[in-house]
Amino acid sequence: MQIGIDSFAAATKDSATGIAISPTERLRNLVEEIVRADEAGVDVFGIGEHHRSEFLDSAPTVILAAAAARTKRIRLTSAVTVLSAADPVRVFQEFATLDLISEGRAEIVAGRGSFIEAYPLFGLALQDYDSLFAEKLELLLTLRDNVQVHWSGKHRAPLTGQGVYPRPLQEKLPVWVGVGGTPASFARAGTLGLPLMVAIIGGEPHRFRPLIDLYRESGRRAGHAPETLKVGIHSLGFPGESDEQAADEYYPGYKRMFTEIGKERGWPPVTRGQYDALRGPTGALLVGDVETVVAKVLHVHESLGGIDRMTFQMTSPEIPHAAMLRAIDVLGTQVAPQVREALATKLS
C-alpha cells in the first residue's frame, strides 16, 4: 500500500501570536513539507484546488512544480483537479510539464470538487455540473492517448487534429477519478478502468464497501483486469507521539474548518464529542499515535476489500509548521513501514 499526504494549502496563523502567516511564508513552508515527506519515505503528495480566500492552492501544478525541483522520488499529484471547471488541454499540458520536471512522477486526480466557486468564476453553469465532468474527462483521456486529437463535444470548441504538447515522460500519465458518495461516479470510474480515489471525511469507512464493490464490478464487466482497478482513500489524519497529543493538536484546526464550512451548508457546529467519536476504531479520522493510526489503516484496508493507497489530509489552519514536519516524519518513518510490514506478513 502507498502512504501519502494531501494538502489544501490552508492559510495558517502563528499559534503563539494568533497573527496570520503571510501567503509567501505559507507556500514556502508547504514546499518544505513536501521535501520532508520525500526524505521521510512518504510515497505521494497531493495538492488540492480551491478558489476561496482560506486556501492558497488555486494553481496546484505551480506548487507541485516547485516541489518537483527539490525532490527525488515522491509522486506528485492533484487532490483533486476540478476538471469540470478547467480546460482539459491546459490541464494535460500543465501536468505533462510537471511530469517532465519531476522526471516521471506526476499524476492527476480528476474530480468535480466539493465547492462551487469555480463555476461562476470561469463562466460555467452549475446545472451542467455532471455533463461538464463527463465530457472533459473523456477529452482528457483522449489527450493522454493521442498526440493529434480529433474530438468534439458540447462544452468546448472541437479539436480537428491539432497536436497537444509537451508529451509527458510517462508513457501513460496516471489519471485517477476522485469521488465522494455518488454511485454513478464509482460505476463510471470502473467502466473506464481508471483508478479510484475516494474521499472519506466522516462517518465509518466500511460503509463505502458497496460503492467500491460497484466500482470493481463495473470494471470487471467492462473487461478491465482486476489489478488495474486500484482504490485509494483520502482521509483526514494526523499521527503523533500519543493519542492525546495528536488529538489535541489536530482538533482546533479541524473544528475551525468544519464549523466554517458548516455555516454555508447548514451543519451544526463541530463538538469535541463528535470529533472523538470519529477517532474511534471504526471512525473516519486517522488521528492518534503510531499504533492507533496503523491499526486504523489496516482496518480500512480490510473492511474495503483491499486498498492500494491511503492519503492523509493533514491540512489545518492551527497546526504550526514545525509540528507538521514532525507529523510527516512520523508518517513516513513509522506509520508507513509498519503498514507495509503488516500487509507483507499477511500475504506471506
Side-chain angles (χ1 to χ4, degrees):
M1 182 195 302
Q2 293 180 323
I3 298 294
I5 296 170
D6 289 331
S7 174
F8 290 169
T12 58
K13 64 181 182 180
D14 187 292
S15 59
T17 65
I19 298 173
I21 293 173
S22 73
T24 298
E25 183 179 357
R26 175 66 184 104
L27 288 176
R28 184 172 62 246
N29 288 346
L30 177 56
V31 172
E32 185 179 346
E33 289 162 11
I34 302 173
V35 172
R36 180 64 67 89
D38 184 48
E39 295 169 346
V42 176
D43 296 301
V44 59
F45 205 109
I47 301 293
E49 179 189 340
H50 301 87
H51 302 271
R52 300 166 61 92
S53 62
E54 63 266 39
F55 301 111
L56 300 170
D57 58 0
S58 63
T61 51
V62 178
I63 301 171
L64 293 169
R70 296 183 53 191
T71 54
K72 300 297 184 183
R73 49 163 298 280
I74 196 166
R75 299 195 66 78
L76 302 168
T77 183
S78 55
V80 303
T81 294
V82 185
L83 189 61
S84 303
D87 181 350
V89 173
R90 292 299 288 158
V91 169
F92 180 82
Q93 290 174 325
E94 290 170 359
F95 278 90
T97 303
L98 174 64
D99 201 52
L100 295 174
I101 294 171
S102 67
E103 300 182 339
R105 293 184 281 129
E107 299 184 3
I108 300 171
V109 178
R112 291 175 289 189
S114 58
F115 296 98
I116 63 172
E117 288 82 6
Y119 293 86
L121 182 63
F122 296 111
L124 300 166
L126 189 57
Q127 61 263 31
D128 294 329
Y129 183 81
D130 191 64
S131 64
L132 279 165
F133 180 73
E135 180 177 294
K136 292 185 176 188
L137 180 59
E138 174 193 301
L139 176 54
L140 180 63
L141 297 177
T142 302
L143 293 162
R144 181 182 70 168
D145 296 338
N146 302 275
V147 178
Q148 275 75 37
V149 179
H150 294 267
W151 178 92
S152 63
K154 174 183 175 183
H155 299 290
R156 189 199 187 280
L159 295 172
T160 57
Q162 293 95 330
V164 179
Y165 306 101
R167 306 306 297 180
L169 180 61
Q170 295 177 87
E171 182 177 351
K172 204 161 190 173
L173 188 66
V175 176
W176 297 62
V177 176
V179 299
T182 306
S185 297
F186 285 78
R188 173 165 51 207
T191 299
L192 292 171
L194 297 174
L196 184 76
M197 180 58 68
V198 187
I200 304 179
I201 61 173
E204 298 182 316
H206 72 84
R207 295 181 179 178
F208 281 77
R209 178 65 182 266
L211 292 170
I212 291 173
D213 287 346
L214 172 63
Y215 160 72
R216 290 173 171 143
E217 177 61 18
S218 298
R220 185 193 66 79
R221 289 182 178 178
H224 301 294
E227 62 269 18
T228 68
L229 300 172
K230 297 180 180 180
V231 175
I233 303 298
H234 160 104
S235 291
L236 300 166
F238 191 77
E241 297 174 359
S242 70
D243 286 343
E244 294 75 18
Q245 172 264 324
D248 290 346
E249 201 158 31
Y250 193 69
Y251 177 65
Y254 172 88
K255 178 180 179 180
R256 177 177 159 189
M257 283 194 299
F258 281 90
T259 296
E260 290 301 313
I261 293 171
K263 291 177 182 178
E264 300 176 12
R265 303 186 180 183
W267 302 343
V270 172
T271 69
R272 181 64 190 244
Q274 293 167 337
Y275 170 77
D276 287 337
L278 288 173
R279 292 196 302 111
T282 61
L285 295 183
L286 306 172
V287 177
D289 65 14
V290 173
E291 182 180 0
T292 296
V293 172
V294 168
K296 292 197 71 172
V297 171
L298 294 174
H299 172 74
V300 173
H301 174 79
E302 180 72 23
S303 64
L304 296 181
I307 61 174
D308 301 280
R309 178 179 291 182
M310 172 67 80
T311 63
F312 286 63
Q313 166 52 288
M314 294 168 63
T315 294
S316 171
E318 304 285 343
I319 295 178
H321 176 53
M324 187 65 72
L325 292 176
R326 289 196 300 272
I328 290 170
D329 283 339
V330 171
L331 183 66
T333 65
Q334 299 183 58
V335 173
Q338 290 188 32
V339 168
R340 297 183 191 117
E341 182 180 359
L343 292 176
T345 300
K346 186 174 182 180
L347 289 174
S348 62

